[in-house]
Amino acid sequence: AQSVTQLDSHVSVSEGTPVLLRCNYSSSYSPSLFWYVQHPNKGLQLLLKYTSAATLVKGINGFEAEFKKSETSFHLTKPSAHMSDAAEYFCVVSGADMRFGAGTRLTVKP
Amino acid sequence: GAGVSQSPSNKVTEKGKDVELRCDPISGHTALYWYRQSLGQGLEFLIYFQGNSAPDKSGLPSDRFSAERTGGSVSTLTIQRTQQEDSAVYLCASNGGSTDTQYFGPGTRLTVL
């Protein structure tokens, strides 16, 4: 069985400050892990994915995530938030099937 | 087509009516998922088809919900006797294997009056 937990339902940061969106997973397999972003009234877009290559994965729009097996974590980070980053972010674990986290809403204050 | 398509894009129905939502996955993709996203909520897994295996229906919220996948391609999600709490965006996704990127359709926005 697989599951994914996004530890924060809402994160608020100021523009120009770092972003940290936390994700922990549980999987019986060596999982693949993904982060998706959904902007208001838009469809889901893939930000980045980990598939057992480098543990530090770089994605679009300056986001990156680090796979830490010992901590079963795949946290999403960005050094400097931009207003356009305000959106809903989903962490996904994939093994036998795919499971989504509940989502984290990122708010960016001017 | 090049991507996952869903129809209709919007559906407004009256409480108690049945609705059918359609998903056309990417050609050749063996896995197909249905999710829904209610207002203010995260994505909720509904059902998963993988090839010819029995579908994983563990996410269906009630027996009013059912889904079929004919010929390993097109899928239909049926909601019987719709309720107002069924109002949501219903998303379909497909992929070619468990490590492949999941490709999402544009969704069907269902409104139950």
Side-chain angles (χ1 to χ4, degrees):
Chain A
Q2 298 182 121
S3 65
V4 59
T5 302
Q6 291 183 239
L7 299 167
D8 307 291
S9 60
H10 187 204
V11 170
S12 181
V13 301
S14 297
E15 190 174 22
T17 64
V19 176
L20 170 63
L21 306 182
R22 298 182 294 165
C23 172
N24 285 98
Y25 70 91
S26 172
S27 177
S28 303
Y29 304 86
S30 296
S32 295
L33 293 155
F34 305 76
W35 276 98
Y36 285 87
V37 60
Q38 187 176 29
H39 288 92
N41 300 313
K42 301 282 188 182
L44 285 160
Q45 179 183 20
L46 178 68
L47 266 183
L48 50 81
K49 65 179 179 181
Y50 165 77
T51 55
S52 76
T55 56
L56 182 62
V57 182
K58 293 187 183 298
I60 62 172
N61 301 336
F63 283 92
E64 61 182 39
E66 186 171 8
F67 173 71
K68 292 186 177 180
K69 187 175 181 179
S70 62
E71 299 178 8
T72 60
S73 69
F74 190 58
H75 301 334
L76 182 70
T77 61
K78 182 173 180 177
S80 176
H82 191 272
M83 295 297 292
S84 61
D85 294 329
E88 188 89 16
Y89 291 79
F90 295 94
C91 182
V92 180
V93 61
S94 174
D97 60 10
M98 297 185 76
R99 300 289 166 164
F100 277 74
T104 298
R105 180 166 299 278
L106 176 65
T107 302
V108 182
K109 297 174 290 187
Chain B
V4 178
S5 60
Q6 292 185 246
S7 60
S9 56
N10 278 285
K11 176 71 176 178
V12 180
T13 191
E14 294 180 346
K15 178 181 173 181
K17 298 284 180 113
D18 298 351
V19 295
E20 284 189 354
L21 311 180
R22 177 186 168 106
C23 172
D24 284 87
I26 292 173
S27 178
H29 277 189
T30 57
L32 187 148
Y33 299 78
W34 282 100
Y35 302 89
R36 73 175 175 182
Q37 187 170 28
S38 304
L39 187 63
Q41 304 292 321
L43 277 175
E44 178 185 4
F45 166 76
L46 296 178
I47 188 169
Y48 162 59
F49 296 89
Q50 174 60 271
N52 295 320
S53 302
D56 176 358
K57 303 179 182 180
S58 60
L60 295 178
S62 78
D63 59 7
R64 296 186 295 104
F65 287 73
S66 63
E68 291 184 338
R69 189 177 184 194
T70 54
S73 181
V74 172
S75 178
T76 302
L77 177 70
T78 301
I79 309 172
Q80 296 178 307
R81 306 181 301 282
T82 52
Q83 303 294 312
Q84 288 183 330
E85 60 264 29
D86 299 335
S87 296
V89 175
Y90 288 81
L91 289 163
C92 174
S94 71
N95 70 8
S98 62
T99 60
D100 286 353
T101 301
Q102 193 163 105
Y103 294 88
F104 284 84
T108 294
R109 182 174 296 278
L110 175 66
T111 304
V112 182
L113 301 176

